[in-house]
Amino acid sequence: MTEIAEPMPTAMPVSLHTGDAATKRLKARYAAERRFRLYGILAILFACSMLVILLSTLLKEGTSAFFQTEVKLAVTIDAGTIDPQGTGNPAEWDRGAFQTLVTDALYKAFPDITGRTEKRDLRGLVSPVAGVRLGQMLDKNPSLVGQTIEVWLPASDGINQIVKGGIDRDLPEIERPINDKQLAWFDSLEQRGDVKSAFNTTFFTASDSNYPELAGLLGAAVGTLLTMLVTLAISLPIGVAAAVYLEEFAPKNRFTEIIEVNINNLAAVPSIVFGLLGLAVFLNFFGMPRSAPLVGGLVLGLLVLPTIIIASRAALKAVPPSIREAALGMGASKLQAVMHHVLPLAMPGIMTGTIIGMAHAVGETAPLLMIGMNAFVTSAPDSLLASSSVLPVQIFIWADKPERGFVELTSAAILVLLAFLILMNGAAIWLRKKFERRW
Amino acid sequence: MSVTLTVAVLLFLSLAGFWLGRNRAVAVAGGRIANLHSVPNYYGSYMALSAGLPALVLILVWVALRGAVMDWMVLSAMSPEQLEAWARVMLAPAELETLLPSIADGASALSQTHRQLLLINISNLAIGQAQYVNPGVIDSITPAAGHLAQLRGLADWTLFGVVVALAGGVLAFTWSKIGPEFRARNNVERIITALLVLCSTIAVLTTVGIVLSLLFESIRFFTKVPITEFLFGLQWSPQTAIRADQVGSSGAFGAVPLFTGTLLIATIAMFVAAPVGLMSAIYLSEYAPKRVRGLVKPVLEILAGVPTVVFGFFAILTVAPFIRDVGAAMGIPISSQSALAAGVVMGIMIVPFVSSLADDVINAVPQSLRDGSYGLGATKSETIKQVLLPAALPGIVGAMLLAVSRAIGETMIVVMAAGLQASLTLNPLESVTTVTVQIKSILVGDQEFDSAKTLSVFALGLVLFLVTLALNVVALRIVQKYREKYD
């Protein structure tokens, strides 16, 4: 074994970078590093969890709106009641009488109920507008008059909510819209097998209504479609033309500089101000009708114009100058070079920007309220000048209503709107991926 | 002859022009296209454009103006007796009294609101919807309704005639001009370039339209309410008297409570959005592995794409009750329309906006600055705090200003989650109202266009526009200056 000399215990000179204080400092610095990193993670978690909470609340509240509780009743279609004049013409029917038929059928289903208040409570089981559904059924099939038919009719909002759990049936009687007696009657109906939960087709085939069980999205969806057509017709051609001019033709001078600054600023003007513009110019000055998709489309068209111009300019800028030069070198005029070569190459980018701009416009509410698009419209608009609603405004209107049934309708309408938006954004992303070209 | 049909006929004429021009060019070329100055399609386009555009402009001007012109013609044709008979049924006694002495002047004696009411009556009668008209006035306005119906028919036919004549005349003229020497391409390109210029000025026209419409109505408002009261008054209750003898509705138009309410909510929103947005941008651009970035970016994009009305619903459905319950658990009474709830939700809405702007700014800082700092032994967070952020500061300030302008102009969240009560407070647990809420709540449902209440909306809109514009101009300038520095 060789002997190893013990190192001499000499006093090392203490450096700034070693020693206890330095280790401590380093530890503190690393701790600060980890903390800082944690803040970043927390910030992202916060943002993500907000989205998750938002979506899950909507899903929880909204999915039940796609189903509706229906009650089976044996309704006798008495010709004398609905057709007092005896014309046999569905157009002459007494529309109010259908509800009488429904209540009569209800009394027959519970023959031992006689008192006035009890009868009133009994009527509270089915929707006060179930007769409308019956009327629609008979319009399609007038030969049923005079017969007794078994039909599924919408239950009232209170019953609907009890079944779906929107209202807790164990609450004290005073706090629910449905009292104990009604609950017992309903349970007996359920035991007879006369209650079912059906897919809520009304939600997609009807328009706004004061009764949640009869309200649907069709009118708002058609209104949105018409409005967006006008918006697209306004903003796409004008936006692309403006971008082409500014990017390809405009000389660098005071005038074009003003246009550029102006477009950037316009993109950040609050949307409600565009609504005021629409009110003052289109409604008051030009006398266009209130609540019309035409006016809504014009306002939204001006609103998304800057977005489309900015996106189109970016797309045009991305086309390399060599393309232009080659076209010009072959003898094309400047306009030909742009129209035949540059614009087609920039088109995917322009389309992506346009879809994103339109997705923005679809969700816009405030400017449309200014031009009166919050009208109560119970049918789908049939022209660009008819009164109409749009999806986000419908959401806003329903969110204001006190009935519990409208909470789930609002959530469901939001789900439909979000699905629509995700579809549009997905299309934009797909376009970008598919046609993106690196020069 | 409806306007739609006229447009359709014009479109047909224009297409016919294209076909005519093309054929004419081929014919005059004598079988050799090379003899022509331009390709035949340019001759067709030239005829189609020159026939279609002027007539189209004519139709647009006509449609824009005919309503006002016809209203004026119908009203000025009404006799004072007819007006008086109408006014006796439709107006309140007090209004009638002020009107009667000047009724001999004709319809100009009516206030704007009453004139609109009269016009709606006449128009309903003219299109055969007498059920919407008070039966007592039908007799007095029947002649006017007949006049209006007659004018409408006449106007549409005149338009059709003028459009067809104009388009036809232009077609004949351009047709005769076409020859081998005619420079069709140059002419078409000149027209199209002019159209391009026109389109690019629409954005400017929009701004001018916004400024003018807000300014005019605001000036009308300031003749009724002094501007100093509006800007510095401490009380806002815009109810104006419907009748002169009504109690407690003098109307107070001091907008300071609205300004403080707006600022309070915007401040709360920025307290949420600024740290969260900035930190997530920093984490995403400096720390996050590629996979995390690919996951989080779409989430932020979805959050950015959620319509504001959805956030508003989220606020009343989830956040406000949550905050109220937390307050109740701690023994603090919190209003269900607290500024806090509206502000927090607005902050969540702005997070993706801040983070994407901050992301751009941080990414624009040159890599050499980071490398220099790492080379000196700095940790990542030290590099970020002491090198990146100071270098990116102007850009971040610009981004924050843009976010503030967004928060101030946001409408739906506050309309749904904040209150209507204009109280002068800085307590976030109380209910405040904002400029945008007042604009919405005053205008929706209000049809009276010359009351101080309705006009006040435009003054509020003007303030909103000017403030956000100033913020944007400053922010954009800062961001641009900063970009140039590192380009």
Side-chain angles (χ1 to χ4, degrees):
Chain A
M1 295 265 307
T2 46
E3 244 170 73
I4 298 166
E6 286 280 316
M8 293 290 285
T10 49
M12 290 277 285
V14 178
S15 142
L16 195 62
H17 303 290
T18 50
D20 284 351
T23 326
K24 230 180 187 170
R25 237 180 5 248
L26 200 60
K27 234 183 182 167
R29 284 176 63 204
Y30 283 154
E33 168 75 25
R34 276 193 300 276
R35 267 203 311 278
F36 192 74
R37 207 183 155 128
L38 186 70
Y39 296 151
I41 295 177
L42 284 181
I44 284 178
L45 278 183
F46 176 78
C48 292
S49 62
M50 280 303 144
L51 184 68
V52 170
I53 294 175
L54 172 66
L55 290 181
S56 57
T57 323
L58 290 174
L59 278 174
K60 192 179 121 249
E61 293 284 338
T63 35
S64 59
F66 293 107
F67 298 94
Q68 197 175 37
T69 311
E70 294 185 351
V71 178
K72 187 162 77 176
L73 288 176
V75 182
T76 310
I77 316 287
D78 178 30
T81 314
I82 62 165
D83 193 6
Q85 272 126 44
T87 54
N89 177 6
E92 301 278 320
W93 283 345
D94 176 7
R95 294 284 149 180
F98 287 105
Q99 192 63 29
T100 322
L101 295 182
V102 173
T103 40
D104 284 347
L106 204 56
Y107 297 152
K108 234 179 1 184
F110 293 92
D112 42 337
I113 291 170
T114 49
R116 266 187 66 155
T117 41
E118 285 200 310
K119 273 190 166 175
R120 199 191 61 216
D121 285 349
L122 185 59
R123 288 199 298 271
L125 289 186
V126 294
S127 159
V129 279
V132 177
R133 174 86 71 89
L134 192 63
Q136 286 162 353
M137 217 177 275
L138 285 176
D139 281 339
K140 270 187 220 144
N141 198 353
S143 63
L144 292 175
V145 174
Q147 300 178 25
T148 298
I149 49 172
E150 293 208 319
V151 283
W152 289 98
L153 293 170
S156 68
D157 184 44
I159 289 290
N160 212 353
Q161 290 308 319
I162 294 258
V163 172
K164 290 174 185 171
I167 295 170
D168 189 358
R169 63 182 291 161
D170 298 329
L171 280 175
E173 186 176 5
I174 195 85
E175 285 176 30
R176 2 181 187 99
I178 298 296
N179 61 29
D180 286 344
K181 259 191 250 153
Q182 288 172 311
L183 216 50
W185 294 330
F186 177 73
D187 287 342
S188 77
L189 268 180
E190 198 161 19
Q191 272 157 21
R192 289 184 226 168
D194 288 348
V195 173
K196 73 168 181 183
S197 181
F199 184 70
N200 185 0
T201 48
T202 315
F203 186 63
F204 296 100
T205 55
S207 296
D208 199 7
S209 164
N210 274 326
Y211 299 92
E213 60 272 22
L214 264 200
L217 268 187
L218 183 69
V222 174
T224 293
L225 196 73
L226 292 176
T227 310
M228 285 306 122
L229 278 181
V230 178
T231 305
L232 192 66
I234 296 283
S235 58
L236 183 59
I238 295 181
V240 173
V244 165
Y245 177 72
L246 292 175
E247 200 57 45
E248 305 286 337
F249 293 96
K252 278 260 167 270
N253 60 20
R254 200 59 189 274
F255 176 66
T256 50
E257 199 179 308
I258 289 176
I259 295 182
E260 263 173 58
V261 171
N262 177 54
I263 287 172
N264 284 334
N265 284 321
L266 208 56
V269 169
S271 61
I272 195 168
V273 172
F274 281 93
L276 289 177
L277 170 77
L279 176 69
V281 173
F282 296 131
L283 296 192
N284 287 358
F285 187 71
F286 287 133
M288 293 184 183
R290 284 171 76 85
S291 316
L294 177 67
V295 184
L298 284 173
V299 170
L300 292 184
L302 293 180
L303 181 73
V304 297
L305 193 59
T307 318
I308 293 184
I309 295 178
I310 292 170
S312 303
R313 288 190 68 175
L316 288 169
K317 210 177 257 171
V319 178
S322 58
I323 304 273
R324 290 177 192 87
E325 281 150 17
L328 294 177
M330 294 300 289
S333 69
K334 199 146 189 225
L335 195 72
Q336 283 172 330
V338 172
M339 291 295 172
H340 297 175
H341 302 281
V342 179
L343 201 54
L345 288 172
M347 223 47 202
I350 293 176
M351 282 301 143
T352 313
T354 306
I355 295 176
I356 289 171
M358 294 302 286
H360 175 195
V362 167
E364 204 50 76
T365 321
L368 299 180
L369 291 180
M370 296 293 103
I371 54 159
M373 276 193 111
N374 57 339
F376 179 68
V377 187
T378 53
S379 60
D382 50 4
S383 84
L384 289 178
L385 295 175
S387 269
S388 148
S389 182
V390 290
L391 285 174
V393 176
Q394 189 71 72
I395 290 168
F396 172 64
I397 294 172
W398 283 350
D400 245 10
K401 297 213 176 186
E403 288 95 341
R404 187 69 183 71
F406 278 113
V407 176
E408 58 172 28
L409 279 184
T410 313
S411 311
I414 290 176
L415 288 178
V416 171
L417 179 64
L418 286 183
F420 211 52
L421 290 178
I422 288 175
L423 212 70
M424 287 175 85
N425 282 310
I429 292 170
W430 179 80
L431 261 175
R432 190 160 52 195
K433 283 252 160 71
K434 169 131 187 166
F435 293 103
E436 194 175 47
R437 229 163 133 171
R438 294 246 172 245
W439 301 93
Chain B
M1 188 52 71
S2 74
V3 174
T4 328
L5 208 59
T6 311
V7 173
V9 168
L10 178 63
L11 210 64
F12 171 77
L13 281 178
S14 188
L15 281 177
F18 181 81
W19 183 78
L20 276 174
R22 217 190 111 84
N23 281 9
R24 168 79 174 161
V26 173
V28 296
R32 267 180 59 84
I33 301 289
N35 286 341
L36 291 171
H37 170 270
S38 313
V39 183
N41 277 353
Y42 275 109
Y43 293 90
S45 310
Y46 175 67
M47 279 187 71
L49 285 174
S50 42
L53 286 178
L56 193 66
V57 171
L58 183 76
I59 292 178
L60 287 180
V61 172
W62 188 282
V63 168
L65 296 182
R66 71 170 172 170
V69 171
M70 281 193 290
D71 288 348
W72 177 78
M73 286 173 74
V74 166
L75 286 187
S76 49
M78 281 181 84
S79 69
E81 290 77 33
Q82 287 169 341
L83 281 173
E84 193 185 328
W86 177 83
R88 280 195 187 283
V89 180
M90 299 297 286
L91 300 192
E95 292 167 334
L96 194 63
E97 225 164 275
T98 54
L99 174 69
L100 282 181
S102 55
I103 194 102
D105 300 346
S108 58
L110 291 171
S111 73
Q112 203 184 344
T113 320
H114 294 150
R115 204 152 46 218
Q116 272 173 4
L117 186 63
L118 175 58
L119 284 169
I120 289 170
N121 280 174
I122 295 176
S123 165
N124 274 332
L125 200 59
I127 55 175
Q129 293 192 316
Q131 70 268 31
Y132 297 131
V133 184
N134 185 333
V137 300
I138 286 185
D139 282 343
S140 53
I141 62 171
T142 301
H147 190 190
L148 181 64
Q150 192 192 358
L151 274 181
R152 279 185 179 163
L154 190 69
D156 286 346
W157 275 108
T158 319
L159 175 67
F160 178 71
V162 171
V163 162
V164 169
L166 180 65
V170 172
L171 280 182
F173 177 67
T174 47
W175 194 76
S176 70
K177 260 187 16 184
I178 290 177
E181 300 297 309
F182 182 65
R183 297 163 154 253
R185 180 175 59 75
N186 305 36
N187 278 304
V188 168
E189 290 191 348
R190 211 169 301 140
I191 296 174
I192 291 183
T193 315
L195 279 181
L196 294 182
V197 176
L198 187 74
C199 286
S200 63
T201 53
I202 298 241
V204 181
L205 288 182
T206 311
T207 313
V208 172
I210 289 175
V211 171
L212 287 186
S213 55
L214 291 180
L215 209 58
F216 272 131
E217 308 282 334
S218 302
I219 289 171
R220 280 175 68 197
F221 172 69
F222 290 132
T223 58
K224 297 184 187 220
V225 177
I227 187 164
T228 44
E229 190 202 323
F230 175 73
L231 285 180
F232 305 112
L234 298 183
Q235 206 177 4
W236 178 267
S237 64
Q239 267 59 41
T240 34
I242 299 173
R243 295 188 314 274
D245 54 340
Q246 221 168 10
V247 193
S249 47
S250 51
F253 293 95
V256 171
L258 307 189
F259 299 151
T260 54
T262 309
L263 284 183
L264 177 62
I265 290 185
T267 311
I268 297 170
M270 288 313 290
F271 265 109
V272 174
V276 174
L278 191 57
M279 281 314 291
S280 33
I282 289 173
Y283 185 81
L284 282 182
S285 62
E286 299 297 314
Y287 286 105
K290 222 174 167 198
R291 265 194 40 221
V292 175
R293 204 165 34 233
L295 224 77
V296 174
K297 278 234 152 164
V299 170
L300 287 179
E301 268 169 38
I302 293 178
L303 204 57
V306 172
T308 52
V309 66
V310 177
F311 280 113
F313 184 62
F314 182 56
I316 49 178
L317 189 72
T318 313
V319 179
F322 175 74
I323 288 178
R324 203 187 47 218
D325 291 348
V326 169
M330 294 191 302
I332 312 165
I334 299 179
S335 146
S336 63
Q337 293 185 318
S338 63
L340 189 61
V344 166
V345 174
M346 194 188 279
I348 297 171
M349 182 202 87
I350 302 178
V351 164
F353 186 69
V354 173
S355 88
S356 94
L357 282 174
D359 200 34
D360 287 350
V361 171
I362 290 170
N363 278 330
V365 175
Q367 186 62 27
S368 59
L369 288 187
R370 290 187 189 82
D371 293 344
S373 171
Y374 294 146
L376 288 173
T379 62
K380 254 190 170 170
S381 65
E382 284 161 355
T383 307
I384 293 166
K385 280 187 273 193
Q386 286 162 25
V387 178
L388 270 189
L389 289 186
L393 191 63
I396 289 173
V397 170
M400 293 303 167
L401 285 184
L402 282 177
V404 170
S405 129
R406 196 119 196 250
I408 289 177
E410 168 48 40
T411 310
M412 291 321 290
I413 294 177
V414 280
V415 161
M416 295 168 85
L420 279 172
Q421 187 66 41
S423 48
L424 192 62
T425 173
L426 287 178
N427 180 356
L429 304 182
E430 274 179 44
S431 158
V432 295
T433 192
T434 72
V435 172
T436 47
V437 170
Q438 288 303 315
I439 293 179
K440 181 260 159 196
S441 65
I442 291 178
L443 265 193
V444 169
D446 198 323
Q447 302 277 356
E448 222 176 303
F449 273 106
D450 37 8
S451 72
K453 184 182 170 192
T454 315
L455 289 175
S456 70
V457 162
F458 290 91
L460 289 177
L462 186 65
V463 172
L464 188 64
F465 177 74
L466 290 180
V467 170
T468 50
L469 186 73
L471 280 173
N472 292 334
V473 170
V474 172
L476 285 177
R477 182 143 293 180
I478 292 176
V479 171
Q480 232 153 37
K481 269 237 171 96
Y482 155 78
R483 273 213 191 106
E484 275 160 16
K485 211 159 100 191
Y486 291 117
D487 256 350

